[in-house]
């Protein structure tokens, strides 16, 4: 039996996002989300009231405790409402398995699967920041020579001129020393500045080299993405051409893509397996559904105030059996519809369908597959049905299907008379 091919798997991943989108659009889901938000708000309010009660005076504490109890009740009630809303949404999904697909055209435009390589912008990270520039070298001002003042009046007559000459000589010597030190310091500063500039240029050159390496790696990644996209598109083009010329694998893979589009609710997951016989133009299709024990059975959630517990009541056995049987029948009719509708070119003339579930045989303890519906459907006959107005069980009977008398009890469909013969 065929598994999902490359394009079917790629399409399947895309459909998971579509599944989540459709579920979010459902009114029941929005109601559930609103109920959850109400519950969260109530819980936070109860926590705040409890904290207030702890801090308050005796009189205030009693009032706060009363308010906290009220808010706790409100929170638990909101929790129950959220659970029941989710439960309603789950059962609505299971009960409308066929209706969910009728508004969707199951045909797959294979050209829409062409890949366009998408490249993130080049981001060098820290390498994109240039090395900080070296501040401009600023020399300190040159020392200024200040000559000692000449003696005036009588001070010059009594040895002042000699002292002044000595002072001038000392000042000149000191100035010459200061100028020499200034030159020496400037020379060192200049030398250090030149070395710093050289180091900065070296670091910047190293940075630019690393940026160039990163850009080369980025371009290589872009080239690889482009090459991968081109290869996929080339493979897709071959696939489309092979499908047009009735190559068997292409028909099987196309069916795989169609079935990967068949989105089922999380509470009722479905898996498909199939093979196609080009000689007879018949698709053999096997659908695995959850066993009855995996399907929700809670009727309603209730809050018991005296015990501060949330309890659940179970659906009646009849309600569980009816829902499961209806789901099995809907899956069968839905699967036939999806394949025939998607096959606009009419490459598939008939479908041999089996819907069943895996379980553990109570007699042997070994895994076994239980067929619950087996039907052979002709394209021309099935395509004449108005599925918006049918009763799935009646449709299967009309097709001569072998249908389990009690799917919930895992009673196998009776195929002793044959399926195809009964449908003729």
């Amino acid at each position: 039996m065929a598994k999902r091919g490359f394009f079917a798997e790629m399409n399947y991943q895309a459909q998971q996002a579509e599944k989540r989108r459709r579920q979010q659009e459902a009114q029941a889901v929005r109601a559930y989300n609103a109920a959850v938000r109400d519950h969260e708000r109530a819980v936070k309010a109860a926590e705040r009231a409890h904290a207030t009660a702890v801090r308050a005076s005796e009189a205030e504490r009693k009032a706060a405790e009363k308010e906290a109890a009220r808010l706790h009740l409100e929170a638990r009630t909101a929790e129950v409402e959220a659970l029941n809303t989710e439960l309603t949404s789950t059962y609505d999904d299971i009960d409308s398995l066929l209706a969910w697909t009728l508004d969707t055209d199951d045909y797959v435009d294979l050209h829409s699967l062409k890949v366009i390589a998408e490249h993130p912008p080049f981001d060098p990270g820290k390498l994109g920041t240039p090395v900080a520039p070296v501040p401009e070298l600023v020399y300190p001002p040159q020392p200024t020579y200040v000559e000692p003042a000449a003696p005036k009046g009588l001070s010059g007559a009594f040895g002042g001129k000699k002292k002044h000459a000595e002072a001038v000589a000392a000042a000149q010597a000191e100035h010459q020393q200061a100028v020499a030190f200034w030159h020496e310091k400037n020379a060192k500063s200049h030398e250090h500045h030149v070395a710093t500039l050289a180091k900065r240029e070296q670091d910047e050159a190293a940075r630019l080299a690393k940026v160039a390496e990163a850009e080369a790696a980025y371009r290589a990644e872009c080239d690889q993405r482009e090459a991968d996209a081109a290869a996929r598109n080339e493979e897709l083009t071959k696939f489309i051409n092979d499908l047009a010329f009735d190559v068997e694998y292409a028909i099987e893979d196309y069916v795989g893509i169609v079935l990967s589009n068949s989105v089922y609710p999380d509470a009722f997951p479905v898996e498909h397996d199939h093979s196609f016989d080009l000689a007879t133009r018949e698709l053999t299709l096997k659908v695995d559904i959850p066993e009855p024990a995996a399907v929700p059975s809670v009727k309603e959630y209730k809050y018991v105030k005296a015990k501060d517990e949330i309890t659940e009541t179970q659906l009646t056995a009849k309600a569980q059996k009816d829902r499961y049987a209806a789901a099995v029948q809907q899956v069968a009719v839905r699967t036939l519809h999806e394949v025939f509708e998607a096959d606009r070119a009419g490459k598939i003339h008939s479908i041999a369908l089996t819907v069943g579930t895996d379980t553990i045989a109570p007699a042997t303890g070994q895994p076994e597959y239980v067929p619950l519906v087996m039907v052979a459907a002709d394209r021309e006959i099935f395509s004449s049905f108005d599925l918006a107005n049918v009763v799935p069980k009646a449709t299967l009977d009309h097709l001569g299907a072998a249908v389990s008398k009690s799917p919930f009890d895992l009673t196998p469909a009776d195929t002793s008379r044959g399926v195809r013969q009964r449908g003729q």
Side-chain angles (χ1 to χ4, degrees), residues 1 68 72 77 96 120 139 149 173 234 263 275 311 346 361 375 378 406 416:
M1 302 289 278
H72 177 71
T77 301
S96 59
Y139 294 108
E234 184 178 351
V263 179
S275 64
T311 62
V375 60
D378 177 79
S406 180
S416 59

Side-chain angles (χ1 to χ4, degrees), residues 198-312:
K199 178 66 167 56
R200 192 268 173 192
E201 291 301 317
Q202 183 181 10
D203 291 346
E204 179 64 7
R207 181 191 73 84
L208 292 175
K210 291 180 179 179
V211 170
E213 288 180 15
E215 285 181 324
Y218 169 76
R219 286 194 297 272
E221 291 172 358
C222 291
D223 291 343
Q224 186 60 54
R225 281 189 287 267
E226 293 288 351
D228 291 343
R232 287 191 180 187
N233 290 336
E234 184 178 351
E235 186 177 351
L236 177 61
T237 298
K238 180 180 182 300
F239 173 45
I240 293 173
N241 291 335
D242 287 347
L243 181 61
F245 286 97
D246 290 350
V247 178
E248 193 169 84
Y249 92 87
I251 297 175
E252 284 192 352
D253 274 11
Y254 179 73
V255 172
I257 293 173
V258 172
L259 295 176
S260 73
N261 282 353
S262 186
V263 179
Y264 280 81
D266 292 336
F268 205 89
V270 165
E271 294 185 356
H272 304 88
D273 200 0
H274 66 282
S275 64
F276 179 69
D277 183 359
L278 185 61
T280 61
R281 296 277 177 172
E282 180 163 275
L283 179 73
T284 300
L285 182 53
K286 177 173 172 282
V287 184
D288 292 341
I289 63 173
E291 59 180 321
V295 178
S297 61
V298 176
K299 177 183 179 181
E300 184 182 22
Y301 293 96
K302 293 183 179 180
Y303 173 59
V304 181
K305 183 178 178 181
K307 296 182 179 181
D308 191 24
E309 292 179 352
I310 294 177
T311 62
E312 57 186 48

Side-chain angles (χ1 to χ4, degrees), residues 6-7 10-11 109-119 224-237 240:
F6 171 75
F7 294 107
M10 184 173 68
N11 192 61
D109 179 7
L110 294 177
H111 293 281
S112 68
L113 298 181
K114 286 191 174 180
V115 178
I116 298 177
E118 297 182 357
H119 309 297
Q224 186 60 54
R225 281 189 287 267
E226 293 288 351
D228 291 343
R232 287 191 180 187
N233 290 336
E234 184 178 351
E235 186 177 351
L236 177 61
T237 298
I240 293 173

Side-chain angles (χ1 to χ4, degrees), residues 294-411:
V295 178
S297 61
V298 176
K299 177 183 179 181
E300 184 182 22
Y301 293 96
K302 293 183 179 180
Y303 173 59
V304 181
K305 183 178 178 181
K307 296 182 179 181
D308 191 24
E309 292 179 352
I310 294 177
T311 62
E312 57 186 48
T313 57
Q314 297 293 309
L315 290 167
T316 64
K318 182 178 185 306
Q320 294 181 56
K321 290 182 178 182
D322 289 348
R323 172 167 283 123
Y324 189 77
V328 171
Q329 295 151 16
Q330 287 186 76
V331 168
V333 176
R334 168 177 169 164
T335 304
L336 295 172
H337 161 73
E338 288 172 336
V339 173
F340 280 136
E341 182 179 65
D343 179 27
R344 289 184 183 176
K347 298 181 181 297
I348 299 169
H349 294 173
S350 62
I351 298 175
L353 173 68
T354 301
V355 178
T357 188
D358 292 305
T359 188
I360 300 297
T364 65
Q366 297 296 321
E368 71 171 352
Y369 181 77
V370 181
L372 301 174
V373 172
M374 298 184 72
V375 60
D378 177 79
R379 176 189 185 86
E380 185 175 351
I381 293 175
F382 188 85
S383 298
S384 67
F385 299 164
D386 181 1
L387 298 184
N389 296 310
V390 303
V391 175
K393 176 62 166 63
T395 301
L396 294 173
D397 289 341
H398 181 75
L399 292 171
V403 180
S404 168
K405 293 182 179 180
S406 180
F408 189 83
D409 296 319
L410 298 182
T411 303

Side-chain angles (χ1 to χ4, degrees), residues 21-56:
R21 185 190 67 77
R22 289 178 63 182
Q23 288 176 334
Q24 286 298 321
E25 287 181 351
Q27 182 177 358
V29 173
R30 291 197 298 271
Y32 167 69
N33 290 337
V36 169
R37 289 193 295 271
D38 289 342
H39 168 239
E40 290 174 348
R41 283 195 293 268
V43 168
K44 290 179 180 179
E47 291 173 348
R48 288 195 299 270
H50 177 72
T52 300
V54 172
R55 296 191 302 267

